Amino acid sequence: MKKVLKKILPSSFRKAYRSNKTSYRIFSDYFEDYRNYRKYSASLDLKSKEMIQAYLIKEYHAVEKGLALPIPRPGFGIERITELISKLQMYIQTYGKDSISDISVSTLQEYLAFDKKHNKETSPLVPLIENLIQAYNQSDLESVGGTLPMNRQDLLPLLDFDFDSFFKSRHSIRDFAEEPVDTKIILDTIDTAKYAPSVCNRQAWKVYVIEHDNYALKKALLNVQNGNKGFGDKISSLIVVTGKLSSFFSYERYQVYIDGGMFAMSIVLGLHSKGLATCCLNTSYNSSMREAFNNALKTDDDCVPIMFIAVGHLKDNYKVANSKRRPLSELVEVR
Ligand SMILES: Cc1cc2nc3c(=O)[nH]c(=O)nc-3n(C[C@H](O)[C@H](O)[C@H](O)COP(=O)(O)O)c2cc1C
């Protein structure tokens, strides 16, 4: 039938048909993304604990940033902070105290001290913040929120290493040694990679580490991944980096991928620093691939896949794709 149609239909018609079909597919994948974002992001309502946490982090961090400015403005942000306090009280009542509420209160305590120093004791926030602080031991609030004093002289010695060589010595590796990778090294690396920047410090990340001997899950995930042919079965551990839509609001629709990408890069560099071989693997799925991914790895509902990171030990000798870089002049325009 396909052959017959090919004969009788003019090539211009076939071309138009193909491009319409592709357009439709792109549209339907976007539509699926829209439905997920609408359903699982915090845009419409703070309907889960994680969404309220994202809101609290976003708002207390706005206060931290305000306090870290060269000349903070006494009495800044009264309206936003009033709202923050109200949601924070509701959060503590519903879920109890935790690290996020501790950081929020600690930040507000520094805000209060700053305001008092600048004679804003008449601020309507004073009794509200004092009321929050009363329920805490001072030691719980020490250095968990607010600002940190930094010193250039302390920092400089830590930067005395050859970053250029380190960065340029990383390659995507598709030929691993047999030896399994110890999960502890991966976990330690992720524990450092979490210091990657993220929007308002929301850290909307969730990582799934598939261990060396979980062959079935690795296979199920790699079967729907378009880019591990010829080396997938030699991967020791598979890291699945996902981002959590529940931490994002309204027009932040791409933020999950930006923050997720930065986090993934940090993990890759961390593993490289420990002498492990890595290769990023794309999770650019259409709807049916995404469904297969979801069926294989039961993630939290609000998670979107960012990428996989294949991990293995280095062989003594191996080849990598050259992956030549473009000249700087093609990548940069200085204005
Ligand atoms: C998000 C992302 C997805 C990638 N997906 C694949 C993949 O599916 N298969 C693969 O072999 N390499 C993949 N790569 C690796 C790239 O091909 C590689 O990073 C690029 O060619 C530059 O080479 P280098 O990493 O050796 O510097 C991916 C890289 C990134 C950042």
Side-chain angles (χ1 to χ4, degrees):
M1 181 65 175
K2 235 179 174 178
K3 274 186 188 158
V4 179
L5 282 175
K6 205 173 170 185
K7 266 193 188 152
I8 54 175
L9 294 174
S11 76
S12 58
F13 181 88
R14 293 200 311 266
K15 211 170 151 195
Y17 171 76
R18 271 200 305 272
S19 89
N20 281 339
K21 203 168 147 190
T22 308
S23 297
Y24 170 74
R25 281 194 182 140
I26 295 172
F27 174 78
S28 78
D29 289 340
Y30 263 113
F31 189 69
E32 194 63 31
D33 290 347
Y34 156 76
R35 283 188 359 164
N36 272 334
Y37 189 71
R38 193 176 188 284
K39 188 167 176 186
Y40 295 115
S41 78
S43 303
L44 302 182
D45 198 5
L46 298 180
K47 52 184 182 289
S48 70
K49 184 179 179 184
E50 280 173 324
M51 290 179 184
I52 306 170
Q53 287 183 339
Y55 168 85
L56 294 178
I57 296 175
K58 177 162 80 73
E59 294 302 304
Y60 82 63
H61 189 60
V63 180
E64 286 185 328
K65 286 190 287 192
L67 291 168
L69 290 175
I71 309 175
R73 183 171 59 80
F76 71 84
I78 291 183
E79 261 178 48
R80 267 179 86 169
I81 296 173
T82 308
E83 185 60 27
L84 164 63
I85 293 170
S86 144
K87 293 247 169 29
L88 181 58
Q89 281 165 332
M90 186 193 77
Y91 180 82
I92 294 172
Q93 265 166 24
T94 315
Y95 303 108
K97 290 180 192 166
D98 62 13
S99 64
I100 290 175
S101 57
D102 291 356
I103 300 168
S104 307
V105 176
S106 168
T107 303
L108 291 170
Q109 186 179 38
E110 186 173 326
Y111 175 90
L112 186 66
F114 171 78
D115 255 14
K116 282 188 170 169
K117 205 166 136 193
H118 292 85
N119 301 322
K120 284 270 172 193
E121 291 202 41
T122 50
S123 162
L125 295 175
V126 173
L128 298 178
I129 299 177
E130 280 177 344
N131 184 37
L132 274 172
I133 296 169
Q134 263 172 21
Y136 278 82
N137 291 326
Q138 194 50 40
S139 59
D140 296 337
L141 302 179
E142 232 42 86
S143 306
V144 288
T147 60
L148 289 174
M150 299 298 286
N151 179 302
R152 187 164 169 259
Q153 285 313 316
D154 294 342
L155 182 65
L156 291 180
L158 303 176
L159 309 181
D160 186 19
F161 77 109
D162 188 351
F163 179 76
D164 286 359
S165 299
F166 166 72
F167 202 77
K168 290 179 188 172
S169 64
R170 184 210 55 83
H171 296 278
S172 290
I173 296 172
R174 301 171 181 88
D175 182 14
F176 305 103
E178 290 288 332
E179 190 191 344
V181 172
D182 183 350
T183 299
K184 167 126 189 359
I185 306 179
I186 295 179
L187 297 181
D188 287 348
T189 305
I190 297 171
D191 207 25
T192 299
K194 73 186 181 193
Y195 289 88
S198 64
V199 68
C200 302
N201 194 31
R202 274 177 251 170
Q203 303 158 65
W205 307 307
K206 175 119 184 204
V207 184
Y208 297 84
V209 179
I210 319 301
E211 294 193 287
H212 176 78
D213 55 359
N214 195 345
Y215 302 106
L217 183 52
K218 259 194 294 183
K219 194 166 175 219
L221 289 167
L222 291 171
N223 274 349
V224 274
Q225 196 279 332
N226 199 2
N228 66 88
K229 228 182 185 164
F231 68 99
D233 58 336
K234 297 285 189 293
I235 294 167
S236 173
S237 304
L238 190 68
I239 301 177
V240 182
V241 180
T242 75
K244 291 180 80 66
L245 290 179
S246 55
S247 285
F248 298 101
F249 302 83
S250 76
Y251 52 78
E252 296 176 331
R253 63 196 182 281
Y254 300 128
Q255 201 62 48
V256 72
Y257 302 107
I258 298 164
D259 287 14
M262 294 189 71
F263 183 48
M265 183 73 225
S266 307
I267 297 173
V268 166
L269 288 176
L271 292 170
H272 176 53
S273 79
K274 294 182 158 64
L276 288 171
T278 61
C279 185
C280 301
L281 298 174
N282 76 82
T283 50
S284 299
Y285 296 144
N286 61 27
S287 306
S288 60
M289 291 162 88
R290 175 69 193 279
E291 205 181 323
F293 166 85
N294 286 348
N295 289 337
L297 184 73
K298 305 273 179 264
T299 64
D300 297 348
D301 288 341
D302 60 332
C303 285
V304 290
I306 304 294
M307 69 178 80
F308 296 164
I309 303 169
V311 193
H313 276 286
L314 290 170
K315 280 184 164 177
D316 286 339
N317 297 293
Y318 55 94
K319 280 190 292 190
V320 295
N322 192 324
S323 299
K324 186 88 184 136
R325 294 322 202 244
R326 292 170 189 267
L328 189 65
S329 58
E330 282 181 20
L331 301 175
V332 183
E333 226 182 278
V334 180
R335 296 189 173 189

